[in-house]
Amino acid sequence: MPDMEQSRAASPVVILMLKAPRVGTVKTRLGAQIGHEAATKIYRILVEHQVTSTPPDWQTEVHFSPADASDEMQRWLGSKLIYFPQSDGDLGRRLARAVAGAFERGARSVIVVGGDCPALDEGCLRQTSEELGRVDVVVGPAVDGGYYLIALRRPVPGLFEDIPWSTENVLVTSLVRITEAGLQHALLEPKEDVDDLAGLRRIVASDAFANSELGVRLHPCLPRRATASRTS
């Protein structure tokens, strides 16, 4: 037990920014394509996969919204994680407050992720921790122009301000903020978030996930492709 506690103290704190899995409030772009019940089920599967991909010897905090979802989140993801409601405001304000809070509680470094990037595995998280030994900020670019991970070894006021969230300019603007702050950064390999049906199909069909537990769980959620009828 002491070894585990020492490992946790020296390791990054992982912050999972999540929503309660309520129908119609998560994966709404995907829900518009396949139905919100199915999209919510997929969201649950993706988040559960992300939780199990986090190094077991690291501390993981779940920062959830809405604020009244504490019991709901703990019933879903279990009591071994640490739970905090997200603050009010836009995504930038909520990210800034989550990061600041972790450092105030004694974190030596912080890695912030969501729950919808299946390729973000334990190896990638450990690589991020190693990169934080030589740079101030690590960013995992998403293929849609955002990012699936951002990691810091100290608080950076202003890093999350005036970012055009939910656009293809999130990454570019964030890198400008990092440069303006005089920080050194490293980029991880680009990875794909699951935001729509096309992205979901690519993940399920990929070599990495086609026969994996995640792929097996996701495959039944895919709608059947329409087949053209033949005419004589």
Side-chain angles (χ1 to χ4, degrees):
M1 187 66 70
D3 290 343
M4 177 69 79
E5 292 175 355
Q6 290 175 3
S7 177
R8 283 179 179 268
S11 301
V13 170
V14 176
I15 293 177
L16 275 167
M17 298 290 288
L18 301 176
K19 293 181 180 180
R22 299 178 181 177
V23 175
T25 66
V26 296
K27 291 290 155 214
T28 52
R29 284 172 54 192
L30 182 61
Q33 295 173 307
I34 67 172
H36 291 292
E37 291 275 1
T40 303
K41 182 177 180 180
I42 289 166
Y43 173 75
R44 282 179 170 272
I45 293 170
L46 292 171
V47 169
E48 290 161 11
H49 173 76
Q50 188 62 73
V51 169
T52 60
S53 298
T54 303
D57 54 327
W58 291 9
Q59 179 170 301
T60 300
E61 298 181 356
V62 173
H63 290 244
F64 60 86
S65 68
D68 65 358
S70 178
D71 291 344
E72 183 179 355
M73 298 299 287
Q74 292 186 56
R75 285 195 300 270
W76 175 27
L77 298 175
S79 59
K80 293 183 179 181
L81 307 177
I82 302 170
Y83 295 85
F84 296 98
Q86 295 180 22
S87 65
D88 294 330
D90 68 3
L91 179 57
R93 183 179 178 84
R94 287 181 278 131
L95 284 168
R97 185 59 217 148
V99 168
F103 280 114
E104 289 167 4
R105 290 186 290 274
R108 296 188 180 183
S109 57
V110 170
I111 300 175
V112 185
V113 300
D116 56 1
C117 182
L120 176 53
D121 57 15
E122 181 175 339
C124 184
L125 290 168
R126 292 193 183 278
Q127 178 190 354
T128 300
S129 179
E130 292 177 3
E131 294 285 358
L132 283 174
R134 64 180 186 84
V135 299
D136 303 298
V137 183
V138 180
V139 182
V143 298
D144 63 1
Y147 54 76
Y148 59 85
L149 173 154
I150 189 163
L152 308 91
R153 63 182 184 187
R154 62 180 176 84
V156 183
L159 180 59
F160 303 108
E161 293 180 1
D162 299 320
I163 304 295
W165 302 109
S166 301
T167 74
E168 61 185 13
N169 296 316
V170 170
L171 176 64
V172 172
T173 307
S174 298
L175 294 178
V176 169
R177 294 283 182 277
I178 291 169
T179 301
E180 289 173 344
L183 303 174
Q184 293 183 314
H185 74 275
L187 294 178
L188 302 174
E189 289 294 320
K191 300 183 188 296
E192 183 168 21
D193 293 329
V194 175
D195 291 318
D196 56 22
L197 181 56
L200 178 63
R201 289 194 188 279
R202 283 192 294 271
I203 291 294
V204 173
S206 68
D207 292 340
F209 295 106
N211 297 312
S212 69
E213 179 182 352
L214 178 64
V216 169
R217 293 187 69 192
L218 288 174
H219 192 270
C221 302
L222 289 172
R224 293 184 179 180
R225 293 183 185 272
T227 56
S229 60
R230 293 185 177 183
T231 59
S232 56

